[in-house]
Amino acid sequence: MESSGGDGAAPEPMATEPSVIGGSSSGGSKTTDGTSADYYFNSYAHFGIHEEMLKDTVRTKTYMKSIYDNKHLFRDNVVLDVGCGTGILCMFAAKAGAKQVIGVDCSDIIEQSKKIVAQNVAETGLPDVITLVKGKMEDVVLPVEQVDIIISEWMGYFLFYESMLDTVLVARDKYLAPGGLVFPDKATLYISAIEDGDYKAEKMDWWDDVYGFKMSALKELAYVEPIVDVVDPRQVVTDAVPILTIDVQTCTVADLDFTAKFELTSQYNDHVHAFLGYFDTVFSHSHRPLVLPTGPEHKSTHWKQTVFYLRDPITCKEGEKISGELRCSPNKDNHRDLDIDIAVNFDGVHTKMDVKHEYKLR
Ligand code: SAH
């Protein structure tokens, strides 16, 4: 795929490395005591990952706006920030007039966050209402029994990678007062299909001739791992359809293991090489609707989009329909990874296809 610049230049480097965001917990050998949980949380200890998130202005400004534009909701209320990282959302909430803000994070970054909050209380007039608690949200005991608002930035690649929403739901069920609000409170996953011949050749077919040797075993592995990258909107061949909407105020962990049927309609005569997944997050308690979009037609975020390559391309005529079914579940051995199966059915003039591909986002 090309970078969003779409100038035909060399594609951007891939961003599936665990260090980018949230880490992958599959790298057990990198842990302090061999548990994947350590690796996951250690990946958040370095400031670099927080720098990347803070510099994602679409992300951070949307959260900022959701809080500053709704001071009437935050004023004099108790706020919990699940996974506070640098404490940025805590500071937004304190500035918006919250009575008390509690930030919880189990990564060592919180030692720095304590210094950051103290510095801003001393030097920038930040109200002294923030308490930072180090520990896993699931285990810590908060200094309050109930909170009025939960804020959290929990989204991962393809929305659910990292499974951090599970943690937000635990916090919600334990601490959110009746009638309390969750920011953001809705998220929708979308799927569409793209033309991506050049980049597919570079990433997949390249293994067919490596210095004169065939490396089909690695080609197979490459197909299984979806690629996280920014896609040029001009590559999108079909419409985009929602496959799941979750309501964070009410959903359960079971809702995050789902199967969805979809039907995409080709907008042009073109080739389809891959499915594309991305999400919108919505702050619907905001007095004006506020959406954090991550689709290819919007300014790119650090979540980019997720590309699932088909083994064989589909040649579509305008108006033809690609039917499919996507199943997404946390991996049995490592619940932060995602198993995603996509079944495709296509009966077109040029192509007939009935296949199922299995992917692992890790
Ligand atoms: N709120 C910050 C950081 C978001 S990244 C910001 O918006 O910039 C998510 C953070 O959640 C990471 O710092 C990670 O260490 C923390 N986290 C993830 N799961 C957690 C859990 N179960 N308990 C406590 N903290 C968690």
Side-chain angles (χ1 to χ4, degrees):
M1 151 194 23
E2 292 174 2
S3 71
S4 57
D7 55 2
E12 289 195 332
M14 291 300 87
T16 44
E17 291 305 316
S19 60
V20 175
I21 266 316
S24 153
S25 40
S26 55
S29 60
K30 297 183 187 168
T31 66
T32 51
D33 71 355
T35 65
S36 57
D38 279 338
Y39 182 47
Y40 174 69
F41 294 126
N42 286 347
S43 73
Y44 280 109
H46 191 270
F47 70 85
I49 195 167
H50 296 280
E51 179 181 1
E52 189 188 10
M53 290 188 288
L54 294 170
K55 284 181 174 167
D56 178 342
T57 52
V58 175
R59 180 200 88 112
T60 310
K61 282 186 177 170
T62 308
Y63 271 84
M64 183 170 82
K65 211 168 153 37
S66 79
I67 297 171
Y68 286 175
D69 285 1
N70 292 290
K71 293 200 175 81
H72 60 289
L73 299 177
F74 283 83
R75 194 171 301 125
D76 298 329
N77 271 324
V78 179
V79 177
L80 169 62
D81 177 1
V82 178
C84 62
T86 53
I88 185 74
L89 307 182
C90 294
M91 293 191 284
F92 290 153
K95 234 178 128 175
K99 179 167 70 183
Q100 185 176 11
V101 183
I102 301 153
V104 177
D105 206 295
C106 51
S107 162
D108 287 343
I109 191 69
I110 200 163
E111 303 305 341
Q112 309 308 318
S113 319
K114 288 177 185 168
K115 294 179 198 163
I116 292 166
V117 167
Q119 179 181 19
N120 284 281
V121 169
E123 296 178 20
T124 70
L126 181 73
D128 190 6
V129 295
I130 300 175
T131 309
L132 297 180
V133 181
K134 185 171 185 189
K136 267 189 86 177
M137 185 68 234
E138 290 80 351
D139 304 334
V140 294
V141 179
L142 297 190
V144 295
E145 281 188 2
Q146 282 195 331
V147 303
D148 304 299
I149 299 181
I150 289 179
I151 52 179
S152 184
E153 199 278 81
W154 52 267
M155 296 84 79
Y157 297 140
F158 198 62
L159 190 59
F160 295 123
Y161 179 60
E162 294 182 46
S163 298
M164 197 186 146
L165 180 56
D166 297 15
T167 300
V168 176
L169 302 186
V170 169
R172 177 198 71 188
D173 294 345
K174 211 160 158 186
Y175 290 109
L176 191 63
L181 306 178
V182 184
F183 276 64
D185 61 312
K186 298 227 167 47
T188 299
L189 254 183
Y190 294 89
I191 195 165
S192 66
I194 61 169
E195 188 287 322
D196 203 15
D198 291 349
Y199 200 61
K200 185 187 173 205
E202 196 176 308
K203 290 298 286 181
M204 303 297 160
D205 303 337
W206 183 81
W207 296 106
D208 292 338
D209 180 1
V210 183
Y211 302 95
F213 300 103
K214 292 186 169 200
M215 296 199 179
S216 304
L218 295 184
K219 185 179 181 182
E220 263 315 295
L221 293 182
Y223 268 120
V224 168
E225 293 201 16
I227 288 179
V228 175
D229 204 355
V230 174
V231 167
D232 187 324
R234 289 172 298 181
Q235 291 176 252
V236 179
V237 176
T238 66
D239 53 351
V241 297
I243 50 169
L244 180 78
T245 293
I246 50 160
D247 183 340
V248 187
Q249 295 274 156
T250 55
C251 72
T252 65
V253 171
D255 297 331
L256 314 182
D257 184 334
F258 66 95
T259 302
K261 288 193 189 309
F262 61 85
E263 187 178 75
L264 301 174
T265 307
S266 181
Q267 309 295 299
Y268 319 99
N269 297 334
D270 209 338
H271 303 288
V272 162
H273 299 96
F275 290 107
L276 189 70
Y278 55 88
F279 60 90
D280 283 353
T281 315
V282 182
F283 299 82
S284 63
H285 300 307
S286 178
H287 81 288
R288 258 189 245 121
L290 198 52
V291 181
L292 166 44
T294 70
E297 72 280 20
H298 295 281
K299 187 172 173 200
S300 62
T301 69
H302 74 276
W303 289 288
K304 304 180 180 181
Q305 288 93 36
T306 307
V307 178
F308 303 84
Y309 282 111
L310 286 161
R311 295 325 191 253
D312 299 310
I314 299 173
T315 303
C316 298
K317 280 175 74 88
E318 184 185 338
E320 286 187 334
K321 294 186 188 305
I322 304 173
S323 309
E325 186 175 273
L326 182 145
R327 180 178 160 72
C328 178
S329 337
N331 180 268
K332 298 271 174 298
D333 298 324
N334 182 345
H335 79 111
R336 296 198 186 278
D337 294 350
L338 292 178
D339 291 342
I340 300 159
D341 299 345
I342 303 180
V344 191
N345 189 279
F346 185 74
D347 188 8
V349 172
H350 300 297
T351 306
K352 312 225 179 284
M353 186 180 283
D354 190 8
V355 293
K356 183 172 155 191
H357 293 318
E358 293 178 2
Y359 303 91
K360 281 188 196 315
L361 193 53
R362 56 180 165 200

